[in-house]
Amino acid sequence: MAVLCKPVIAVPDNVITCEQTLELARRLHKDHPQLGLTLRLIENTGVQKRHLIRPIDEVLEHPGFDARSEIYEEESKARVPAVVRQALDEAELTAADIDLIIYVSCTGFMMPSLTAWLINTMGFRHDTRQMPIAQLGCAAGGAAINRAHDFCTAYPEANALIVACEFCSLCYQPTDLSVGTLLSNGLFGDGVAAAVVRGNGGTGMRLERNSSYLIPNTEAWISYAVRQTGFHFQLDKRVPGTMEPLAPVLRRVAAEHQWNASELDFYVIHAGGPRILDDLSRYLGVAPEAFRFSRATLTEYGNIASCVVLDALARMFDEGTALDGHRGLLAGFGPGITAEMVLGTWVKADYDADVLPQHNYGTLDDGLRDPAAP
């Protein structure tokens, strides 16, 4: 069965803290009639800091959608390759071993997709399949894992590479003053993540069952308005309550696999906000500690969209507490409202860690920018 290997995540050097975010909101929106509510909501996210591809002063200056598109292409080409190389190393594979690249991003647009550039510049075979996913938002991390699982089920000897590239700061819109938009300005961060799904071998989460679910009549709850100035994020106040209808779905998917969703060994959940995790803890009857990986991602990086589940999974790898045979659930949530869910068992490959390939990527920008990039 396909195994999801250790993800690699990198974030930019530019940091904005919660205190700085609150001070900016007070300064920029001092006359907003709901400023007090907005400040309380930002404080309650639990986000302590976020990382941005550009300094906050540049983020606050909207240079136009065309300029932002150029920044997206420049930054993705500079930052993705080093993360991809490290993810391949974690899976003990090379670029030539990859049969499918799944690229997910909801914060910028390129055609052809970055997958074409990666194939041409990083040594991937020219018959490597491409699957760009652009419109699933935060759910795309889970969707990418599920589509990789499907591919490796259809082609058991194949390997898939997942790349998530999210520059949420490029979606800042200074003229949008709804409470939901102002809240998102204090919630989202930037990051790049990559992981390999191996058809055979590997250490990590053996993917066994995946499922998707869309909550009826909620497509307007998380959305973009696409205008001349770019992507305008729209968030409905009912979004934090979506775990009430989704928790039974998670239970049903687990039951179809003869598992009890309340009695699993690990949980990797997209944390769009703390209430998502609090409600899941309550509705599933799971201890809050079970969601520590997702909560740590939210606290340290903010909501990094499709990268969240990959970062949370990497934290579980780093903790080293998962044992052979441990059963777990990974789930991503996003526009639709869509849930992408996968069940799997932890497996450990037999290999000698001393012979794993090693690379030196330098120290530029926490290893996120590739020194060899243009």
Side-chain angles (χ1 to χ4, degrees), residues 77 136 146 149 254:
K77 289 180 176 179
L136 280 177
N146 287 347
H149 180 201

Side-chain angles (χ1 to χ4, degrees), residues 51-235:
H51 295 252
L52 311 173
I53 57 172
R54 297 292 170 91
I56 186 60
D57 290 345
E58 293 185 29
V59 172
L60 296 175
E61 296 176 358
H62 194 325
F65 191 31
D66 52 347
R68 282 186 169 176
S69 295
E70 291 175 2
I71 293 170
Y72 178 87
E73 181 172 353
E74 173 191 340
E75 295 286 352
S76 60
K77 289 180 176 179
R79 297 173 184 273
V80 167
V83 179
V84 166
R85 292 191 185 100
Q86 293 177 64
L88 291 169
D89 284 353
E90 292 289 351
E92 299 183 87
L93 296 177
T94 68
D97 297 316
I98 298 299
D99 302 283
L100 167 70
I101 302 175
I102 304 174
Y103 180 80
V104 297
S105 180
C106 63
T107 52
F109 181 81
M110 293 171 58
M111 191 172 73
S113 165
L114 192 73
T115 52
W117 182 83
L118 291 173
I119 290 170
N120 283 323
T121 59
M122 290 194 65
F124 294 98
R125 304 191 321 269
H126 285 270
D127 62 352
T128 304
R129 294 168 173 85
Q130 305 172 65
M131 185 184 293
I133 300 176
Q135 294 163 299
L136 280 177
C138 297
I145 293 167
N146 287 347
R147 300 297 75 79
H149 180 201
D150 294 342
F151 181 77
C152 291
T153 299
Y155 302 96
E157 303 298 319
N159 304 301
L161 170 68
I162 296 166
V163 180
C165 180
E166 300 292 11
F167 302 144
C168 301
S169 61
L170 293 178
C171 297
Y172 172 72
Q173 298 290 348
T175 61
D176 290 356
L177 300 178
S178 69
V179 171
T181 299
L182 295 179
L183 170 61
S184 71
N185 293 341
L187 177 64
F188 287 95
D190 297 346
V192 174
V196 171
V197 174
R198 289 186 55 140
N200 280 310
T203 292
M205 186 177 181
R206 184 179 67 205
L207 307 176
E208 298 176 13
R209 176 182 293 267
N210 72 62
S211 184
S212 301
Y213 184 80
L214 185 139
I215 303 176
N217 305 314
T218 58
E219 65 269 24
W221 289 17
I222 302 174
S223 64
Y224 275 167
V226 183
R227 301 172 182 155
Q228 288 183 334
T229 46
F231 303 139
H232 291 247
F233 185 70
Q234 300 175 134
L235 182 69

